[in-house]
Amino acid sequence: MQLDWQDIQIFLEVARSQRLTDAARRLGLDHSTLSRRTRRFEQKLNAQLFERSTHGYHLTEAGQQLLAHAEEMARHAFEAGESLTDKNHQISGQIRLGVTEGLGTWVIAPLLSAFCERHPGVTLDLLALPRVVNLSRHEADLAITVERPVSPGLVISRLCDYRLRLYGSEGYLERHGTPQRLAELSRHRLIGYVDDLIFSEQLGYLAPLLDPAVVDPPPHFPLRSTSVTTQHVAARHGTGLAVLPCFMAETDTTLTSVLDDEVEIVRQFWITARQEQRQLARVRLLWDFLREALEANRPFLMGEQKALVIPPTVP
């Protein structure tokens, strides 16, 4: 049986998106057309590829078998196109970079101004999100994450360390006092993540600090949020104390770090790409730019200096 390459592309997009509306938007088709094309492809193969429910489209056993072949076909088509047009040697095209919300907003976006000036032929999509970007579902070409990915077929490198401290606003500390020991947090209000919605264990900062043997009774949490930017805004307006990355809080003159001798948290960022994307010149260029720019800003990320160093527009 001769398979239509367009059918394979449609199948892949639905399999990756798991939702017909998302796949239709990415393919530039309307929902009903995509539904008909998908069912027609199944009829042609005489096999059901998807289990359809209110929760989306999920691959059947037959769909899983086809997915492996379809991914391989897509990889060969991608490599052939890049080779024939010589795009892998051109510093142009689109790059989609996924990064955690705080780093993306406060560090990566300012740094990328220099990259954009250096390479006007490159278009950057910056996905600064309070979740992990899924490279396997082709959501991005590059990703920066707070924990080391474990998926096969990825190129992974440790990017940088960063420090977090406990911060409070001037107004909050005037009203509630400045804690001198961890045990005194019992009398304070804290801001944190929504426990069951934390997208990475690396963000569970507060639990180790609030050992019931030391902090008893537990402090009050007037506000929790899935967004570190929201936590920062709440802290600067006096809602409570918050554990924040130094790269966010040290530039904010309204915030003061407390319990520096007892609260010092260090985490890492990892940079990741699929193997085939990592081979592209424009992706390699951004990869190397980010590594160099963040290495130059190590003191800023560790809370040892208050200003971000922006690279020159000419390398």
Side-chain angles (χ1 to χ4, degrees):
M1 179 188 299
Q2 290 282 11
L3 295 181
D4 188 322
W5 174 235
Q6 286 189 340
D7 288 336
I8 294 294
Q9 289 178 299
I10 286 173
F11 164 76
L12 271 175
E13 196 56 60
V14 176
R16 290 166 178 167
S17 301
Q18 297 184 349
R19 297 185 66 85
L20 211 62
T21 51
D22 294 341
R25 184 177 64 255
R26 292 178 183 175
L27 290 167
L29 299 173
D30 63 75
H31 180 281
S32 58
T33 299
L34 185 57
S35 178
R36 288 196 304 272
R37 290 288 299 270
T38 303
R39 290 191 180 278
R40 192 183 308 150
F41 187 42
E42 289 178 317
Q43 293 169 0
K44 184 188 297 184
L45 296 175
N46 195 27
Q48 183 178 351
L49 302 175
F50 298 100
E51 292 284 353
R52 297 161 172 83
S53 72
T54 55
H55 300 292
Y57 277 50
H58 300 281
L59 291 171
T60 62
E61 184 177 349
Q64 291 285 359
Q65 291 176 354
L66 179 60
L67 180 64
H69 296 292
E71 290 279 11
E72 187 71 6
M73 293 169 65
R75 184 177 67 82
H76 284 302
F78 175 83
E79 291 176 353
E82 291 292 325
S83 175
L84 290 172
T85 59
D86 202 31
K87 280 187 178 178
N88 57 325
H89 297 299
Q90 297 176 12
I91 310 305
S92 63
Q94 182 180 20
I95 310 174
R96 180 165 286 185
L97 171 63
V99 61
T100 53
E101 177 195 21
L103 185 74
T105 302
W106 295 84
V107 178
I108 301 300
L111 293 178
L112 288 178
S113 61
F115 184 87
C116 293
E117 286 289 334
R118 293 182 189 181
H119 308 289
V122 174
T123 299
L124 280 174
D125 290 344
L126 181 61
L127 311 183
L129 303 169
R131 66 174 178 85
V132 177
V133 172
N134 192 325
L135 294 181
S136 299
R137 290 176 57 183
H138 295 243
E139 290 184 342
D141 303 303
L142 276 173
I144 298 175
T145 60
V146 292
E147 59 184 39
R148 192 182 194 282
V150 295
S151 300
L154 298 177
V155 182
I156 303 166
S157 178
R158 184 165 171 165
L159 184 59
C160 62
D161 292 350
Y162 69 105
R163 180 172 283 130
L164 306 100
R165 293 193 178 109
L166 187 64
Y167 291 90
S169 71
E170 181 180 341
Y172 175 87
L173 297 175
E174 286 178 354
R175 293 194 307 275
H176 299 277
T178 301
Q180 303 299 318
R181 297 179 296 116
L182 274 178
E184 295 179 17
L185 291 182
S186 294
R187 299 186 285 103
H188 283 270
R189 301 152 64 88
L190 296 185
I191 301 163
Y193 283 97
V194 181
D195 290 340
D196 59 331
L197 295 178
I198 293 179
F199 65 87
S200 169
E201 293 181 357
Q202 298 299 313
L203 302 180
Y205 317 122
L206 286 173
L209 299 177
L210 304 180
D211 185 343
V214 178
V215 184
D216 185 38
H220 174 52
F221 281 82
L223 186 146
R224 299 175 193 256
S225 175
T226 57
S227 164
V228 69
T229 301
T230 300
Q231 293 174 36
H232 171 257
V233 171
R236 75 191 310 269
H237 282 85
T239 306
L241 303 174
V243 172
L244 297 170
C246 294
F247 61 74
M248 292 176 61
E250 289 295 325
T251 60
D252 190 335
T253 57
T254 69
L255 294 175
T256 301
S257 63
V258 299
L259 297 176
D260 286 355
D261 293 337
E262 296 186 80
V263 182
E264 182 180 329
I265 303 162
V266 176
R267 292 289 190 268
Q268 294 76 44
F269 283 113
W270 300 82
I271 187 167
T272 310
R274 299 190 308 280
Q275 289 180 353
E276 65 271 21
Q277 294 298 104
R278 180 67 176 81
Q279 296 171 7
L280 296 177
R282 60 183 180 274
V283 174
R284 290 200 310 271
L285 203 67
L286 180 57
W287 178 293
D288 293 340
F289 172 87
L290 291 171
R291 289 188 62 84
E292 292 171 9
L294 290 173
E295 175 59 28
N297 277 286
R298 192 199 69 79
F300 176 72
L301 294 167
M302 296 300 288
E304 297 166 2
Q305 71 179 35
K306 294 182 179 293
L308 182 69
V309 177
I310 304 297
T313 56
V314 178

Short mmCIF file of all heavy atoms in Angstrom, two decimals, residues 194-228:
data_model
loop_
_atom_site.label_atom_id
_atom_site.label_comp_id
_atom_site.label_asym_id
_atom_site.label_seq_id
_atom_site.Cartn_x
_atom_site.Cartn_y
_atom_site.Cartn_z
N VAL A 194 1.73 25.82 44.82
CA VAL A 194 0.60 24.93 45.10
C VAL A 194 1.17 23.51 45.09
O VAL A 194 1.64 23.02 44.05
CB VAL A 194 -0.51 25.08 44.04
CG1 VAL A 194 -1.69 24.17 44.37
CG2 VAL A 194 -0.95 26.54 43.95
N ASP A 195 1.17 22.85 46.23
CA ASP A 195 1.93 21.61 46.40
C ASP A 195 1.65 20.57 45.32
O ASP A 195 2.57 20.00 44.75
CB ASP A 195 1.64 21.00 47.77
CG ASP A 195 2.24 21.83 48.91
OD1 ASP A 195 3.16 22.62 48.62
OD2 ASP A 195 1.78 21.71 50.05
N ASP A 196 0.38 20.30 45.04
CA ASP A 196 0.06 19.21 44.11
C ASP A 196 0.20 19.63 42.65
O ASP A 196 -0.02 18.81 41.75
CB ASP A 196 -1.35 18.66 44.35
CG ASP A 196 -2.42 19.72 44.20
OD1 ASP A 196 -2.13 20.91 44.45
OD2 ASP A 196 -3.55 19.37 43.81
N LEU A 197 0.60 20.89 42.39
CA LEU A 197 0.79 21.36 41.02
C LEU A 197 2.24 21.75 40.73
O LEU A 197 2.51 22.34 39.69
CB LEU A 197 -0.14 22.56 40.73
CG LEU A 197 -1.64 22.25 40.77
CD1 LEU A 197 -2.45 23.52 40.52
CD2 LEU A 197 -2.02 21.17 39.76
N ILE A 198 3.16 21.43 41.64
CA ILE A 198 4.58 21.70 41.38
C ILE A 198 5.04 20.80 40.24
O ILE A 198 4.90 19.58 40.30
CB ILE A 198 5.43 21.45 42.64
CG1 ILE A 198 5.09 22.48 43.72
CG2 ILE A 198 6.92 21.51 42.30
CD1 ILE A 198 5.87 22.29 45.01
N PHE A 199 5.58 21.39 39.16
CA PHE A 199 5.92 20.60 37.98
C PHE A 199 7.29 19.95 38.06
O PHE A 199 7.67 19.18 37.19
CB PHE A 199 5.81 21.45 36.70
CG PHE A 199 6.78 22.59 36.60
CD1 PHE A 199 8.04 22.40 36.07
CD2 PHE A 199 6.42 23.86 37.01
CE1 PHE A 199 8.94 23.46 35.96
CE2 PHE A 199 7.30 24.92 36.90
CZ PHE A 199 8.57 24.72 36.37
N SER A 200 8.07 20.26 39.11
CA SER A 200 9.37 19.64 39.30
C SER A 200 9.67 19.54 40.78
O SER A 200 9.42 20.48 41.55
CB SER A 200 10.48 20.44 38.61
OG SER A 200 11.76 19.97 39.00
N GLU A 201 10.24 18.42 41.21
CA GLU A 201 10.62 18.25 42.60
C GLU A 201 11.66 19.28 43.02
O GLU A 201 11.80 19.59 44.20
CB GLU A 201 11.16 16.84 42.84
CG GLU A 201 10.11 15.74 42.69
CD GLU A 201 10.69 14.36 42.95
OE1 GLU A 201 11.92 14.27 43.19
OE2 GLU A 201 9.92 13.38 42.91
N GLN A 202 12.42 19.81 42.05
CA GLN A 202 13.44 20.79 42.35
C GLN A 202 12.86 22.10 42.88
O GLN A 202 13.59 22.94 43.42
CB GLN A 202 14.29 21.08 41.10
CG GLN A 202 15.05 19.87 40.57
CD GLN A 202 16.03 19.33 41.58
OE1 GLN A 202 16.79 20.07 42.19
NE2 GLN A 202 16.03 18.02 41.77
N LEU A 203 11.55 22.29 42.73
CA LEU A 203 10.90 23.52 43.20
C LEU A 203 10.31 23.37 44.60
O LEU A 203 9.73 24.32 45.13
CB LEU A 203 9.80 23.95 42.22
CG LEU A 203 10.25 24.19 40.78
CD1 LEU A 203 9.07 24.61 39.92
CD2 LEU A 203 11.36 25.25 40.72
N GLY A 204 10.45 22.19 45.20
CA GLY A 204 9.93 21.97 46.55
C GLY A 204 10.90 22.50 47.61
O GLY A 204 11.45 21.75 48.41
N TYR A 205 11.10 23.83 47.62
CA TYR A 205 12.11 24.43 48.49
C TYR A 205 11.71 24.43 49.96
O TYR A 205 12.53 24.25 50.86
CB TYR A 205 12.37 25.90 48.12
CG TYR A 205 12.48 26.20 46.66
CD1 TYR A 205 11.63 27.13 46.06
CD2 TYR A 205 13.45 25.60 45.87
CE1 TYR A 205 11.74 27.45 44.72
CE2 TYR A 205 13.56 25.90 44.53
CZ TYR A 205 12.70 26.83 43.97
OH TYR A 205 12.81 27.13 42.64
N LEU A 206 10.43 24.69 50.23
CA LEU A 206 10.02 25.04 51.57
C LEU A 206 9.93 23.86 52.52
O LEU A 206 10.22 23.99 53.71
CB LEU A 206 8.68 25.78 51.53
CG LEU A 206 8.76 27.23 51.02
CD1 LEU A 206 7.37 27.81 50.86
CD2 LEU A 206 9.58 28.08 51.97
N ALA A 207 9.54 22.69 52.02
CA ALA A 207 9.33 21.54 52.90
C ALA A 207 10.56 21.24 53.78
O ALA A 207 10.41 21.05 54.99
CB ALA A 207 8.93 20.32 52.08
N PRO A 208 11.79 21.20 53.21
CA PRO A 208 12.95 20.93 54.08
C PRO A 208 13.19 22.01 55.13
O PRO A 208 13.75 21.73 56.20
CB PRO A 208 14.12 20.86 53.08
CG PRO A 208 13.50 20.57 51.76
CD PRO A 208 12.19 21.28 51.80
N LEU A 209 12.77 23.25 54.84
CA LEU A 209 12.99 24.34 55.79
C LEU A 209 12.00 24.29 56.95
O LEU A 209 12.29 24.76 58.04
CB LEU A 209 12.86 25.69 55.08
CG LEU A 209 13.82 25.99 53.94
CD1 LEU A 209 13.48 27.34 53.32
CD2 LEU A 209 15.26 25.96 54.42
N LEU A 210 10.82 23.72 56.69
CA LEU A 210 9.74 23.77 57.67
C LEU A 210 9.63 22.45 58.42
O LEU A 210 8.54 21.90 58.62
CB LEU A 210 8.42 24.11 56.98
CG LEU A 210 8.43 25.42 56.17
CD1 LEU A 210 7.08 25.66 55.52
CD2 LEU A 210 8.84 26.59 57.06
N ASP A 211 10.75 21.91 58.85
CA ASP A 211 10.78 20.69 59.65
C ASP A 211 9.96 20.92 60.92
O ASP A 211 10.24 21.86 61.69
CB ASP A 211 12.23 20.36 60.01
CG ASP A 211 12.37 19.04 60.75
OD1 ASP A 211 11.36 18.53 61.26
OD2 ASP A 211 13.51 18.52 60.82
N PRO A 212 8.92 20.08 61.17
CA PRO A 212 8.08 20.29 62.36
C PRO A 212 8.87 20.26 63.67
O PRO A 212 8.44 20.83 64.67
CB PRO A 212 7.10 19.10 62.29
CG PRO A 212 7.07 18.72 60.84
CD PRO A 212 8.45 18.98 60.33
N ALA A 213 10.04 19.60 63.66
CA ALA A 213 10.85 19.58 64.87
C ALA A 213 11.47 20.95 65.16
O ALA A 213 11.87 21.23 66.29
CB ALA A 213 11.97 18.54 64.73
N VAL A 214 11.54 21.80 64.13
CA VAL A 214 12.13 23.14 64.29
C VAL A 214 11.07 24.22 64.21
O VAL A 214 11.04 25.14 65.05
CB VAL A 214 13.20 23.38 63.20
CG1 VAL A 214 13.78 24.79 63.33
CG2 VAL A 214 14.31 22.34 63.31
N VAL A 215 10.20 24.13 63.20
CA VAL A 215 9.17 25.15 62.97
C VAL A 215 7.81 24.57 63.38
O VAL A 215 7.15 23.86 62.63
CB VAL A 215 9.14 25.58 61.49
CG1 VAL A 215 8.13 26.71 61.28
CG2 VAL A 215 10.52 26.01 61.04
N ASP A 216 7.41 24.87 64.61
CA ASP A 216 6.16 24.34 65.16
C ASP A 216 5.52 25.40 66.05
O ASP A 216 6.17 25.90 66.99
CB ASP A 216 6.44 23.06 65.95
CG ASP A 216 5.16 22.41 66.45
OD1 ASP A 216 4.17 22.44 65.69
OD2 ASP A 216 5.15 21.91 67.59
N PRO A 217 4.29 25.80 65.76
CA PRO A 217 3.40 25.29 64.71
C PRO A 217 3.84 25.77 63.32
O PRO A 217 4.66 26.68 63.22
CB PRO A 217 2.04 25.90 65.07
CG PRO A 217 2.40 27.17 65.79
CD PRO A 217 3.65 26.85 66.56
N PRO A 218 3.29 25.15 62.26
CA PRO A 218 3.68 25.56 60.90
C PRO A 218 3.21 26.98 60.59
O PRO A 218 2.21 27.45 61.15
CB PRO A 218 2.97 24.54 60.01
CG PRO A 218 1.84 24.02 60.82
CD PRO A 218 2.31 24.05 62.25
N PRO A 219 3.91 27.66 59.72
CA PRO A 219 3.51 29.03 59.36
C PRO A 219 2.23 29.05 58.53
O PRO A 219 1.81 28.02 57.98
CB PRO A 219 4.70 29.54 58.54
CG PRO A 219 5.31 28.30 57.97
CD PRO A 219 5.12 27.23 59.00
N HIS A 220 1.65 30.22 58.45
CA HIS A 220 0.43 30.40 57.64
C HIS A 220 0.82 30.74 56.19
O HIS A 220 1.73 31.52 55.95
CB HIS A 220 -0.41 31.52 58.23
CG HIS A 220 -1.60 31.90 57.40
ND1 HIS A 220 -2.53 30.97 56.97
CD2 HIS A 220 -2.01 33.10 56.91
CE1 HIS A 220 -3.46 31.58 56.26
NE2 HIS A 220 -3.17 32.87 56.21
N PHE A 221 0.11 30.14 55.23
CA PHE A 221 0.30 30.44 53.82
C PHE A 221 -0.91 31.21 53.31
O PHE A 221 -1.92 30.61 52.93
CB PHE A 221 0.47 29.15 52.99
CG PHE A 221 1.83 28.54 53.09
CD1 PHE A 221 2.17 27.74 54.17
CD2 PHE A 221 2.79 28.76 52.10
CE1 PHE A 221 3.42 27.17 54.27
CE2 PHE A 221 4.05 28.19 52.19
CZ PHE A 221 4.37 27.39 53.28
N PRO A 222 -0.87 32.54 53.32
CA PRO A 222 -2.02 33.30 52.83
C PRO A 222 -2.21 33.19 51.33
O PRO A 222 -3.30 33.41 50.82
CB PRO A 222 -1.69 34.73 53.24
CG PRO A 222 -0.20 34.76 53.26
CD PRO A 222 0.22 33.41 53.76
N LEU A 223 -1.12 32.86 50.60
CA LEU A 223 -1.21 32.79 49.14
C LEU A 223 -0.23 31.76 48.60
O LEU A 223 0.93 31.73 49.01
CB LEU A 223 -0.92 34.16 48.52
CG LEU A 223 -1.10 34.29 47.00
CD1 LEU A 223 -1.61 35.69 46.65
CD2 LEU A 223 0.19 34.03 46.24
N ARG A 224 -0.69 30.93 47.69
CA ARG A 224 0.16 30.00 46.95
C ARG A 224 -0.10 30.24 45.46
O ARG A 224 -1.19 30.65 45.07
CB ARG A 224 -0.17 28.53 47.29
CG ARG A 224 0.02 28.16 48.75
CD ARG A 224 -0.43 26.73 48.98
NE ARG A 224 -0.56 26.41 50.39
CZ ARG A 224 0.32 25.68 51.08
NH1 ARG A 224 1.38 25.20 50.46
NH2 ARG A 224 0.14 25.43 52.36
N SER A 225 0.90 29.95 44.64
CA SER A 225 0.73 30.17 43.21
C SER A 225 1.63 29.21 42.43
O SER A 225 2.72 28.84 42.88
CB SER A 225 1.08 31.61 42.84
OG SER A 225 1.03 31.79 41.42
N THR A 226 1.17 28.84 41.24
CA THR A 226 1.98 28.02 40.33
C THR A 226 3.03 28.87 39.62
O THR A 226 3.90 28.32 38.94
CB THR A 226 1.09 27.36 39.27
OG1 THR A 226 0.36 28.37 38.57
CG2 THR A 226 0.11 26.39 39.92
N SER A 227 2.95 30.18 39.76
CA SER A 227 3.84 31.10 39.05
C SER A 227 4.82 31.77 40.00
O SER A 227 4.42 32.42 40.98
CB SER A 227 3.00 32.19 38.34
OG SER A 227 3.81 33.28 37.95
N VAL A 228 6.12 31.65 39.71
CA VAL A 228 7.12 32.31 40.55
C VAL A 228 7.05 33.82 40.38
O VAL A 228 7.36 34.58 41.32
CB VAL A 228 8.54 31.77 40.22
CG1 VAL A 228 8.99 32.21 38.83
CG2 VAL A 228 9.55 32.21 41.27
#
